[in-house]
Coordinates of all heavy atoms in Angstrom, one line a residue:
V69 N 106.4 83.6 88.2 CA 107.0 82.8 89.3 C 107.1 81.5 88.8 O 106.1 80.8 88.3 CB 106.0 83.0 90.6 CG1 106.4 82.0 91.7 CG2 105.8 84.3 91.0
S70 N 108.3 81.0 88.9 CA 108.6 79.5 88.4 C 107.9 78.6 89.4 O 107.6 79.0 90.6 CB 110.0 79.2 88.4 OG 110.6 79.2 89.8
P71 N 107.5 77.4 89.0 CA 106.8 76.4 89.9 C 107.7 76.1 91.2 O 107.2 76.0 92.3 CB 106.8 75.2 89.0 CG 106.7 75.6 87.6 CD 107.6 76.8 87.6
E72 N 109.0 76.1 91.0 CA 109.8 76.0 92.2 C 109.8 77.2 93.2 O 109.7 77.0 94.4 CB 111.3 75.8 91.7 CG 111.6 74.6 90.8 CD 111.3 74.7 89.4 OE1 111.0 75.9 88.9 OE2 111.2 73.8 88.7
E73 N 109.8 78.4 92.7 CA 109.7 79.5 93.5 C 108.3 79.6 94.1 O 108.1 80.0 95.3 CB 110.0 80.8 92.6 CG 110.0 82.0 93.5 CD 110.3 83.2 92.7 OE1 110.3 83.2 91.4 OE2 110.6 84.4 93.4
Q74 N 107.3 79.1 93.4 CA 105.9 79.2 93.9 C 105.9 78.3 95.2 O 105.3 78.7 96.2 CB 105.0 78.7 92.8 CG 103.6 78.6 93.4 CD 102.7 78.1 92.3 OE1 102.9 77.8 91.1 NE2 101.3 77.9 92.6
A75 N 106.5 77.0 95.0 CA 106.3 76.1 96.2 C 107.2 76.7 97.4 O 106.7 76.5 98.4 CB 107.1 74.7 95.7
E76 N 108.3 77.3 97.0 CA 109.1 77.9 98.2 C 108.4 79.0 98.9 O 108.3 79.0 100.1 CB 110.5 78.5 97.5 CG 111.3 79.0 98.6 CD 112.6 79.7 97.9 OE1 113.0 79.1 96.9 OE2 113.0 80.7 98.4
L77 N 107.7 79.8 98.1 CA 106.9 81.0 98.6 C 105.7 80.5 99.5 O 105.5 80.9 100.6 CB 106.4 81.9 97.5 CG 107.5 82.8 96.8 CD1 106.9 83.3 95.5 CD2 108.0 83.8 97.7
I78 N 105.0 79.5 98.9 CA 103.9 78.9 99.7 C 104.4 78.2 101.0 O 103.8 78.4 102.0 CB 103.2 77.8 98.8 CG1 102.5 78.5 97.7 CG2 102.1 77.0 99.7 CD1 101.4 79.6 98.0
R79 N 105.5 77.4 101.0 CA 106.0 76.9 102.1 C 106.4 77.9 103.2 O 106.3 77.6 104.4 CB 107.3 75.9 101.9 CG 106.9 74.6 101.2 CD 108.1 73.6 101.2 NE 109.2 74.2 100.5 CZ 109.2 73.9 99.0 NH1 108.4 73.2 98.4 NH2 110.3 74.4 98.4
G80 N 106.8 79.1 102.7 CA 107.3 80.1 103.7 C 106.3 80.9 104.2 O 106.4 81.8 105.1
L81 N 105.0 80.8 103.8 CA 104.0 81.7 104.3 C 103.7 81.6 105.8 O 103.3 82.6 106.3 CB 102.6 81.3 103.5 CG 102.5 81.8 102.1 CD1 101.4 81.3 101.5 CD2 102.7 83.3 102.0
G82 N 103.8 80.5 106.4 CA 103.5 80.4 107.8 C 104.7 80.7 108.7 O 104.7 80.7 109.9
Q83 N 105.9 81.1 108.1 CA 107.2 81.3 108.8 C 107.4 82.8 108.9 O 107.1 83.6 108.1 CB 108.3 80.6 108.1 CG 108.0 79.1 108.0 CD 109.2 78.5 107.0 OE1 110.2 79.2 106.7 NE2 109.0 77.3 106.8
P84 N 107.9 83.1 110.1 CA 108.4 84.6 110.3 C 109.3 85.2 109.2 O 110.2 84.2 108.9 CB 108.9 84.7 111.6 CG 109.0 83.3 112.2 CD 108.3 82.4 111.3
Q85 N 109.1 86.2 108.7 CA 110.0 86.7 107.7 C 110.9 87.8 108.3 O 110.5 88.6 108.9 CB 109.2 87.2 106.5 CG 108.2 86.4 105.9 CD 109.0 85.2 105.1 OE1 109.9 85.4 104.4 NE2 108.6 84.0 105.4
E86 N 112.2 87.7 107.8 CA 113.3 88.8 108.2 C 112.9 90.0 107.3 O 112.6 89.8 106.1 CB 114.6 88.4 107.9 CG 115.1 87.4 108.9 CD 116.6 87.1 108.6 OE1 117.3 88.0 108.1 OE2 117.0 85.9 108.9
S87 N 112.9 91.1 107.9 CA 112.6 92.3 107.1 C 113.9 92.8 106.5 O 114.9 92.9 107.1 CB 111.9 93.5 107.8 OG 112.8 94.4 108.2

Side-chain angles (χ1 to χ4, degrees):
V69 176
S70 71
E72 296 80 16
E73 186 178 9
Q74 179 183 357
E76 179 183 327
L77 291 168
I78 295 297
R79 280 192 298 273
L81 287 177
Q83 301 171 5
Q85 302 293 313
E86 289 184 30
S87 106

